[in-house]
Amino acid sequence: MSADIDISTRSIRFHYFVLTMRFACFVIVTCVIFSLGCCKRFETRCKLVRELVKVGIPQHLFLGQWVCLIEKVSNRDTKAFVVTPSGKKFYGLYQIPSRWCREGKKGGDCNIACESLLDDDIRDDTACAVHIFHEEGFKYWTQWTNRCKNDNHITTEIYKCPDLISRKSPDIIPQSENLRVKRKLSRVGMDRSRASSYYGLQWLQ
């Protein structure tokens, strides 16, 4: 009798173990699928360029600067999230500081939820980054100043991407385009020397 009870107990434990393992596998697979579905990393520079063009980043003047910035701060990872020892938080593709967003609901200087900066829709991320750019310039991002400013290598490289291969690189922008941009900057009260420092574009000199 006791032997039968022992066998029955073992059988119950075995079935419980099997069910537990199946549930654990289900949870793991679900988490992996959710992770792949909600966030993405741009595996190549050209894929990033395609997406930036799609969401409206200017193609002629600053696209290479944006690509460089993204590669240096987040390695093209939309789910990049950093918390510094001092407690400062940086979110997403552009590593936007928490000052510009609010956790749990819309807020901050960009009026956006911080969690929205970690999904695969980069339209709101880009809108916030461009807002920061207009307020502070690329120099707001230390990594841009240290690793992208006055470096046109990526700008040259991205014009080898299929989406841009038929377009002209900023290195060969006609003089008329230079004048148009300089006049635009002049209208907003920014002289050329300051603009060159602000944007890191040598051709404005």
Side-chain angles (χ1 to χ4, degrees):
M1 183 69 178
S2 60
D4 292 338
I5 294 174
D6 185 53
I7 292 173
S8 177
T9 301
R10 288 180 180 178
S11 177
I12 292 171
R13 287 177 178 173
F14 175 76
H15 285 297
Y16 177 76
F17 173 77
V18 170
L19 289 174
T20 301
M21 291 303 296
R22 285 180 178 175
F23 179 74
C25 290
F26 172 77
V27 170
I28 292 171
V29 171
T30 301
C31 289
V32 170
I33 292 174
F34 177 77
S35 176
L36 293 175
C38 74
C39 303
K40 67 182 177 183
R41 181 181 181 276
F42 297 100
E43 296 88 353
T44 67
R45 181 174 290 162
C46 288
K47 286 184 178 180
L48 174 62
V49 167
R50 182 181 301 122
E51 192 68 18
L52 292 177
V53 170
K54 187 188 299 183
V55 300
I57 285 287
Q59 299 173 25
H60 296 297
L61 304 180
F62 310 130
L63 184 56
Q65 298 294 317
W66 285 112
V67 172
C68 183
L69 169 67
I70 290 168
E71 291 191 351
K72 302 312 179 187
V73 299
S74 68
N75 196 27
R76 303 195 297 265
D77 192 349
T78 57
K79 65 180 182 298
F81 175 64
V82 174
V83 181
T84 67
S86 63
K88 293 182 179 179
K89 298 178 181 179
F90 299 84
Y91 297 85
L93 201 64
Y94 300 93
Q95 286 297 277
I96 294 173
S98 53
R99 159 196 165 183
W100 301 89
C101 62
R102 185 172 181 179
E103 292 185 349
K105 60 180 180 179
K106 287 185 177 181
D109 292 356
C110 282
N111 192 32
I112 188 174
C114 296
E115 293 79 6
S116 297
L117 300 172
L118 298 174
D119 60 22
D120 65 349
D121 183 353
I122 69 167
R123 289 174 297 179
D124 45 10
D125 310 50
T126 301
C128 184
V130 170
H131 176 67
I132 295 171
F133 168 75
H134 285 308
E135 292 287 325
E136 307 283 349
F138 281 121
K139 58 184 172 53
Y140 181 77
W141 288 274
T142 304
Q143 288 278 44
W144 176 84
T145 302
N146 293 339
R147 305 177 68 184
C148 298
K149 184 177 180 180
N150 298 323
D151 183 354
N152 294 319
H153 173 70
I154 290 179
T155 297
T156 302
E157 288 296 307
I158 65 171
Y159 280 85
K160 298 176 184 178
C161 293
D163 295 85
L164 299 181
I165 201 165
S166 62
R167 305 175 190 273
K168 291 184 177 181
S169 167
D171 295 336
I172 53 174
I173 290 176
Q175 184 65 21
S176 59
E177 179 70 5
N178 287 1
L179 290 173
R180 185 188 69 79
V181 175
K182 291 170 184 177
R183 287 168 184 163
K184 182 178 179 180
L185 293 172
S186 178
R187 284 199 298 270
V188 297
M190 184 179 292
D191 61 51
R192 289 193 302 182
S193 60
R194 182 182 167 212
S196 175
S197 173
Y198 188 74
Y199 295 117
L201 298 175
Q202 296 175 335
W203 61 266
L204 281 172
Q205 295 284 5

